[in-house]
Amino acid sequence: FSQDGPIKIGASLPLTGSFSIAGQKHQQGYELCVDLINERGGILGREVELIVSDNRSDPATAINQYERFLNVDGVEAVYGTFSSRLSFPVANILARNGMVHALPAGGALRIYEQGHDNIFYFQPNAAEYVGASLAGVVRDLVPAEEAPKTVAIISADDFFANGVWSGLMGEIVTDPADGSEVADLSPGYLAELGLEVVYSERWPEEGFNDWLNLANQVRQTEPDLIIGLTASAEEAVQLTRAFDTVRATPQMVYFSQGTQAEYLEGTGDSAQGVLVHTSWHSDAPFQSLLAGSEFSNQDFVGAYEAAYGSPPDEDSAIPFAVCQGIEQAMVGAGTTDNAAMGDWLDARTKEDAVRTILGRFSWDDRGLPVEKPFLMTQWNDGELQFIYPTDEFEGVSAMSYPKGSF
Amino acid sequence: MPELLDVSSLTAGYGDGPAILDGAHLTVQPGKVHCIIGPNGAGKSTLLKAICGMLKIRKGDVKFKGESLKGLRPDQILRKGICFVPQERALFPKMTVRENLRMGGYSLADKSGLERAIDEIEERFPILRERRDQHAGTMSGGQQQTLAMARTLIVKPDIVMLDEPSLGLAPKIVQEMFDIMKVMASEGITILLVEQNALMGLKNADWGVVLDLGRTLFEGPAAEVMADPRIQELYLGGKKAA
Amino acid sequence: MLEIKGLCKYFGGIKAVDDCNFGVERGSITALIGPNGAGKTTAFNCISRTAMPTKGSVWLDGERIDKLRPHQITQRGLSRTFQISRNLADMTVLENVICQSRIGGWRDLMKPAMSSDEIDKAMGILDFLGITRIAYEDGSNLSYGQKKLMDLAALLMSDPKIILLDEPAGGVNPTLLEEIVGHIRKLNDQGLTVLIVEHNMELIMRLSHRIVVMAQGRVIANGAPAEIRENPAVLDAYLGGVLEEAV
Amino acid sequence: MEQIIQTLILGLALGGVFALMGSGLSLVFGVMRIVNLAHPSLIIAGAYATYWAFKLWGIDPLVMLPVAAIILAAIGVLLYKLVFEREARSAKYSEMTVLLTFATAMIVEGALGGMFTNTQRVTSPSYATDAIFIGNIFIPTGQLYAGIVSLLIISALALFLKYSRFGNAIRATTQNREAAELLGVNVNLVCIMSFAIGIGLAGAAGSLVSFVFSFFPAKHWEWVAVLMSLVVLGGMGSILGTVIASFMLCVVAAFVGAYVGATWSTMTFFLALFLILLIRPQGLFGEKPELA
Amino acid sequence: MMSVVSETLTGDAASSVLEARRAHNEKLAAKSDKARAIWFPIALLLLLLALPALQVIGNFNYVLHLVLFTACYVTMASGWNILGGFTGYISLGHNVFFAIGGYFAGMILARYGISTILMAPFAGLLCAAVGYLIGRVTLKTRGPSFIISSLALVMIARILFDHWKFVGGANGVALPANDLSVEWAKLPYYYAFVVLAAFSVWLSYKIKHSKFGLGLRAISKDEIKAESAGIDTRTYKVLAFAISGALVGMAGAIWGEYLTYIRPNIFLIILVSVNMVLMCILGGKGTIAGPVIGAIMIIAFNELFVATLGASEINILATGLLMVIVLLFFPQGIVGTLAKHHKLPRILNWD
Ligand SMILES: Nc1ncnc2c1ncn2[C@@H]1O[C@H](COP(=O)(O)OP(=O)(O)OP(=O)(O)O)[C@@H](O)[C@H]1O
Ligand SMILES: Nc1ncnc2c1ncn2[C@@H]1O[C@H](COP(=O)(O)OP(=O)(O)OP(=O)(O)O)[C@@H](O)[C@H]1O
Ligand SMILES: [Mg+2]
Ligand SMILES: [Mg+2]
């Protein structure tokens, strides 16, 4: 590795293709962070140069590009890519090359169960544990006598959504390669809450159009709680509109996607009362470290708005945190040697954590964060309010309940 | 007598391939039946295609009523009064017989006359009335030929160019076809036909042209062409010469 | 040799071929004539199975062939030409001709596309038909008559037992026609059976041993040329007054 | 029973929209032998036009429909001039155009993506999420209006093609370009016009789609195969066939979705396509191929 | 009126035209006779076989990756060419074989640890069998209907694989990586793909110059004529389908292990089949060198784009534009169009 000149860092992102929206926001997150670091004097006294290339949401291209970063561009570190499906193969390549793999997105438990020790997940937890926040909301925020009794759960057949489903329904996660058990999640969050599943259905990842039919099926079972695990905010829009059309009247609605501004635009008033989990919220008062100085979540929101003219969402915040993590690892290890960086990250504890705008991170052996719950938000009066957990910080809004009609 | 159509030292070919026609010439007089004969691949069809604008003229010129036709599109040439029935029966296979006839009158300004003209034609060729709603592509070979011929009668052009009109027709119909041509000629329509049924063609024509290797070799009154022993031997099956 | 029994082909309401019966004797030249739309081409299509007969059966050498697929019929020695010539564009005339093949079995498949024997044979046929000069021409860039000749050449390539010719003379120059007639005769002498559809009466009368006359899908007469010439039904339906002139 | 009727209604409602989306495709194939794989991407272009008109000026999608049709028709003319005109005389036209339209689809997608990003959009006129309730059974108004409008457009078009002089010229040109030219048809003009009509239909369909489905530039890949199945099932080039196939398949898909599983409802289209190829390769209303 | 004999039938006029004609024909004949440059592909192959020696002096994984990737697509495009180029049936669904090969060999690797390189021939056989069955149905249709049926095939395969729990459904299966060190880890796949690519080029050559190939070409022009010329069109085309499927399947088998991950979304996306088609069209459909040149060009083009423009929607736009331009100006592909104008460099004439 060359020790002078800028520190090159590569990131292959799905800037086009099915993940392009998230991919582009990730690029903004990385770029903003690198710019801010450079403004503050770089890392280890060296400028940082970010190389982003487009993998078109295609795994082969993603591999190719990380290969190129390492062989041709001579990068000293990499940032992870977006989504589980791209991260799976990328994880292998990076492990083989001994690179620290900081993932912004890739919630599938199986990625971490493969035994790579260079991998670090920069979100609250694997998809399988997302349901915990919903369970918390039902347990803590809804009066026992009004609590929902029945639930309809519908889901996209998507990596992340399937993971959430497994947790909620208490499935055994197996590795299809050899049929071995990865995790046993039974009885599942829904069973723990004593909810009766009156309807469950999955729709295919691509080409599904029959939303009204699906919504009608749900309506017929008259569930108190509707859980919609969509693959994208857009599917959440479709579902919401369909529920509106069929005049469904649940007490509570939870979607796995839908924090984005696009969701509100597509649904308008129907969004009222919809719960969505998130890794990040602009109101969360996290204090973090950037280039050695304190940098709060609010600073991030401000910097982002100044740079791009619109408020950020989690798809930009998470990569920002990844970038912070790599920076702190380099500084902490005092070198850009990836083995040392990996050791440093491994050594983090709850007290001596990596500090990012998503909060503090330390990891277990698998590379999953320790004790980090997801946040729960709710659309209220056209605003995404942060409602759970209630005990961690100030500024938590009250949940509106029940939802009633769309 | 003024020349209606004058083809002089014409060179033409397909795409950028070799010149198929190489110095062909032809003069056409109004109200007469002209018959072009020649062996297969001589360039007869190519000549007609060049005249009607389907092929680019490389050298030489085609003058119609003293006006050059060079560079005009087929539909423009048609409107000037030259109508062409190619050898590969230019029908619309998936349209009905009647629609095909109606398309025959596409270029007519006078729409009211169209239905009348079609009726007249159906009168003349009963099979077309009978098969009015059949798709043209499913008609028998001869029926298609009949339809293609009949369709030109709608336009009433100055010149009709027919590429082997007798092809695939039963003897009875062939005779009828030539009779119709004579009637047309007597109505002042000039006819230019290519025939492999050469004797029959020449017998019914006023003027004969022999084309070979892309050039005009003989031109003269049909009877004289027919009588020439060399032509008989080379192009007419040589029966009488032998 | 070839036997057509009760053959019918209906297109909706149109009875193109309607209960048609006739046979072709081995070694004969049989002509099939009839007015336009009589059903001759359709009968050919049914025999070579490019069309599915509605009813009836076709027998070749005692074997029923109307359930076979077209290539199987060709491989049994029955080949045909099309009234409107079909040719393979982007392939040379030589390839067009050599394509007409009788492949023995699997192993033949991997043999070279054109062996020199085949090329010699094909060139011989092209030469005979006077179209050697277009041997390397694209099969679709031919004049009408040349296409007909190419079809004929292809037919001869596969050494058939019986050939069905649909208007082989249409559009062919009279001089050349004489030669083709001569050649068909010669092949016939060597034992090739021929079934021919033609409107050129003079040629038919000269060439054929037997004439089958169709009209409106039915066989209306069947006999030696001399008989047919006298048959008033035929005269009326088909020849009009042209007969005397033609013969 | 109630549920069966409800499912039927939902199937039919969706069928109406697909009918218009498919019929433009069918038309362009029927008259021009172009398998326009770019059709769905142009539908999306139409949807974007409608979306922006709605968002910026609050113009109702149904009002915007003719405008979108005209805009897209103009784009169609441009496309034809730039891309398809050169190839129109080639013998391999039909096959070539599959690839050309495929490429066009990518260009349209890329251009739309560049202009409007890949964010999913949808217009929300009030009727889009409304429904007429009859007892417990509902008819979604958005899809109801879309279906009615699409059937009106399709019928008008079918009549025009069948009976007008120009319609005849279009069909004639498709079947035998040279012959049409020899009969005095300005074939180039005819081609441009019919292409414009076909693409105009995509624009119209786009307006309807804008409030029925959400869309983004790459969405068209999802539709291509579905629309193509409709067209093949109906018989290539038969507009009536396409319309009937859309209603049929959408109803079947709705029942499959309701009683078998949502995952399998999209499968309906493709399985139907295979079944039809197996037993009736020419589709419902197509012409039988020459060789059985 | 006098008989106007404008020109007598002297030999001169006739023979000069004949002469021109003959010259033209000879030119055409020369085209097919021109000694083809077999040495070139062989030299290329040898060069590629020696290339990994570079690893001794440094890490050239990226170069190896590109060659390997290209070889994978050469295999697939050549395979596709047998159906699409020779037989004229444009299939947009050939990635189904890619998936079947990948899953078959991949699952065997995951469960029994047998390398996909060893299983590739069997994956090929499986794909041939599947191709045979599918071909029996879809090859009944022709032209556009066939293209669409092939699209539908992908969609069906996609839905089936997405819901097949045994192979991990839409989430896919992670495969074990081999335990060679970084420098040598790619080598098995590299050689496998280079050999496979060479094999498919050789096979297309063999087929093209056989009776079978002639039959396929006849089918692509006029099926009815071919059938009545005695060619068993149904068997021929189904066979072509099976063979081309087998080649693509073999590529898929190894590809899965190379990626260490199989998932429907890797194999069954339209981009994969489009690439195959585009490569053949760009290089020259129905030629031997075409798919090779096409594959090299498309992959080089992709790399160039990613490297220079970074990325954006411009990628898609540019690919589309490239495709249009090629189709309009090289309708028969680079090899085909150059050959037609007699400008094909000898080293590219492999036919
Ligand atoms: N589309 C074409 N492209 C290239 N060459 C062609 C094409 N059509 C015909 N030719 C060539 O042009 C020459 C003349 O063809 P043309 O059709 O004019 O002959 P013809 O005199 O009409 O013959 P026939 O009596 O057989 O119809 C032939 O040698 C043929 O090979
Ligand atoms: N596909 C079809 N659909 C409907 N009618 C058809 C079809 N094919 C042929 N016909 C009709 O069947 C009849 C017989 O046609 P056929 O082609 O066999 O006649 P032919 O005896 O060969 O006549 P010609 O001497 O004119 O070639 C004709 O009336 C024709 O219109
Ligand atoms: Mg001719
Ligand atoms: Mg006939």
Side-chain angles (χ1 to χ4, degrees), chain B residues 41 43-46 87-88 163-164 194 196, chain C residues 143-145:
Chain B
K44 305 180 295 295
S45 305
T46 310
Q87 202 161 8
E88 299 81 12
D163 202 345
E164 303 208 18
V194 166
Q196 282 300 6
Chain C
S143 82
Y144 190 91

Side-chain angles (χ1 to χ4, degrees), chain A residues 20 201 207 213 234 238 262 265, chain D residues 51 118-120 214 254 262 266:
Chain A
S20 59
E201 179 67 287
N213 203 351
E234 290 74 21
Q238 290 287 322
E262 292 87 19
E265 184 197 314
Chain D
Y51 170 81
N118 256 331
T119 314
Q120 296 209 10
S214 74
T266 36

Side-chain angles (χ1 to χ4, degrees), chain A residues 153-156 161 164-165 168 203 227-231 235 254-256:
Chain A
I153 173 165
I154 50 179
S155 166
V164 183
W165 173 294
L168 287 169
W203 68 84
I227 298 179
L229 308 176
T230 63
E235 285 184 348
Y254 160 67
F255 288 150
S256 66

Side-chain angles (χ1 to χ4, degrees), chain A residues 20-272:
Chain A
S20 59
I21 298 174
Q24 284 165 4
K25 286 182 179 167
H26 273 60
Q27 183 179 16
Q28 290 177 344
Y30 284 146
E31 276 174 355
L32 180 66
C33 170
V34 166
D35 288 347
L36 293 177
I37 289 176
N38 284 334
E39 271 172 32
R40 288 163 168 73
I43 304 177
L44 302 175
R46 292 162 66 196
E47 178 113 339
V48 180
E49 180 185 334
L50 177 66
I51 307 171
V52 174
S53 50
D54 174 23
N55 58 36
R56 308 172 175 192
S57 315
D58 172 41
T61 314
I63 293 189
N64 172 19
Q65 292 180 341
Y66 279 104
E67 207 86 68
R68 187 162 47 106
F69 291 147
L70 296 172
N71 286 184
V72 179
D73 298 322
V75 300
E76 292 174 54
V78 292
Y79 295 148
T81 186
F82 174 82
S83 83
S84 295
R85 77 159 90 143
L86 295 175
S87 295
F88 244 117
V90 167
N92 277 323
I93 290 288
L94 293 181
R96 202 193 279 282
N97 283 282
M99 301 299 286
V100 167
H101 187 191
L103 274 82
L109 204 45
R110 277 164 45 202
I111 296 182
Y112 307 93
E113 296 286 351
Q114 294 189 102
H116 298 315
D117 53 13
N118 62 328
I119 204 164
F120 302 94
Y121 190 37
F122 275 80
Q123 277 199 44
N125 214 331
E128 280 76 358
Y129 304 113
V130 167
S133 336
L134 176 66
V137 169
V138 174
R139 199 182 307 111
D140 301 343
L141 300 187
V142 183
E145 62 279 9
E146 290 175 31
K149 311 244 169 348
T150 56
V151 55
I153 173 165
I154 50 179
S155 166
D157 198 351
D158 162 81
F159 231 128
F160 192 80
N162 282 335
V164 183
W165 173 294
S166 297
L168 287 169
M169 302 288 271
E171 286 175 348
I172 294 172
V173 182
T174 56
D175 184 348
D178 48 12
S180 63
E181 184 180 309
V182 172
D184 182 354
L185 303 172
S186 58
Y189 299 112
L190 297 182
E192 276 173 13
L193 291 170
L195 283 165
E196 183 200 351
V197 178
V198 289
Y199 183 79
S200 68
E201 179 67 287
R202 267 188 246 244
W203 68 84
E205 194 175 17
E206 267 167 37
F208 183 71
N209 279 315
D210 211 359
W211 299 106
L212 280 179
N213 203 351
L214 187 66
N216 182 47
Q217 300 290 320
V218 172
R219 178 183 72 124
Q220 293 306 320
T221 59
E222 295 178 1
D224 299 332
L225 169 60
I226 294 178
I227 298 179
L229 308 176
T230 63
S232 62
E234 290 74 21
E235 285 184 348
V237 171
Q238 290 287 322
L239 259 187
T240 309
R241 285 164 62 106
F243 282 129
D244 184 12
T245 309
V246 303
R247 301 191 193 157
T249 50
Q251 288 169 313
M252 194 167 174
V253 178
Y254 160 67
F255 288 150
S256 66
Q257 299 264 354
T259 54
Q260 294 86 339
E262 292 87 19
Y263 176 73
L264 186 67
E265 184 197 314
T267 54
D269 295 341
S270 324
Q272 173 66 27

Side-chain angles (χ1 to χ4, degrees), chain D residues 22-289:
Chain D
S23 58
L25 198 61
S26 195
L27 169 82
V28 171
F29 181 79
V31 298
M32 309 199 50
R33 300 286 128 176
I34 293 178
V35 181
N36 190 5
L37 295 179
H39 195 82
S41 68
L42 291 163
I43 290 180
I44 289 177
Y48 268 108
T50 314
Y51 170 81
W52 286 110
F54 181 79
K55 182 169 167 123
L56 298 180
W57 304 298
I59 299 175
D60 189 284
L62 290 178
V63 176
M64 187 61 189
L65 184 137
V67 183
I70 290 169
I71 295 175
L72 265 286
I75 293 177
V77 172
L78 201 71
L79 263 183
Y80 186 82
K81 276 279 173 201
L82 290 178
V83 178
F84 297 97
E85 192 170 36
R86 293 172 60 106
E87 278 307 308
R89 279 166 197 281
S90 142
K92 299 264 177 100
Y93 194 46
S94 193
E95 180 187 296
M96 275 290 266
T97 52
V98 175
L99 300 164
L100 276 175
T101 54
F102 192 96
T104 309
M106 294 180 77
I107 296 177
V108 173
E109 181 192 332
L112 290 178
M115 284 188 284
F116 306 128
T117 75
N118 256 331
T119 314
Q120 296 209 10
R121 308 286 188 185
V122 63
T123 53
S124 323
S126 57
Y127 49 81
T129 52
D130 209 353
I132 301 169
F133 272 78
I134 304 164
N136 201 22
I137 293 176
F138 66 93
I139 305 171
T141 46
Q143 301 187 359
L144 179 69
Y145 294 168
I148 292 173
V149 171
S150 92
L151 285 184
L152 285 178
I153 297 177
I154 294 168
S155 341
L157 182 80
L159 291 177
F160 171 74
L161 284 179
K162 182 80 187 153
Y163 295 108
S164 76
R165 183 173 117 98
F166 191 74
N168 270 337
I170 289 180
R171 286 194 298 144
T173 306
T174 324
Q175 291 172 25
N176 193 336
R177 197 182 160 94
E178 284 189 349
E181 208 166 13
L182 287 173
L183 292 178
V185 177
N186 184 345
V187 290
N188 208 25
L189 185 71
V190 164
C191 286
I192 291 177
M193 286 299 293
S194 44
F195 202 71
I197 295 176
I199 305 302
L201 279 184
S207 290
L208 301 186
V209 161
S210 78
F211 60 86
V212 176
F213 304 125
S214 74
F215 55 89
F216 61 101
K219 173 97 169 183
H220 65 111
W221 298 121
E222 278 178 23
W223 285 336
V224 160
V226 173
L227 294 187
M228 288 294 171
S229 324
L230 298 178
V231 173
V232 171
L233 187 69
M236 297 288 300
S238 158
I239 292 186
L240 179 67
T242 306
V243 173
I244 291 178
S246 337
F247 281 110
M248 247 171 55
L249 282 191
C250 286
V251 168
V252 176
F255 277 98
V256 171
Y259 295 101
V260 183
T263 36
W264 304 107
S265 73
T266 36
M267 188 87 157
T268 317
F269 293 88
F270 311 121
L271 271 187
L273 179 68
F274 262 78
L275 285 181
I276 206 84
L277 291 181
L278 200 62
I279 48 182
R280 202 182 148 86
Q282 73 271 32
L284 293 178
F285 290 80
E287 284 141 22
K288 213 164 174 186

Side-chain angles (χ1 to χ4, degrees), chain B residues 137-190:
Chain B
T138 64
M139 305 264 282
S140 86
Q143 291 166 342
Q144 292 188 20
Q145 188 68 25
T146 312
L147 175 59
M149 272 288 298
R151 206 174 48 182
T152 55
L153 300 180
I154 296 177
V155 192
K156 304 220 164 58
D158 295 335
I159 301 184
V160 179
M161 303 196 294
L162 303 166
D163 202 345
E164 303 208 18
S166 74
L167 196 67
L169 292 182
K172 199 168 148 185
I173 315 282
V174 172
Q175 196 50 58
E176 257 177 56
M177 198 65 80
F178 280 111
D179 291 344
I180 291 169
M181 267 181 242
K182 281 198 178 133
V183 173
M184 283 164 75
S186 70
E187 285 167 5
I189 299 178
T190 309

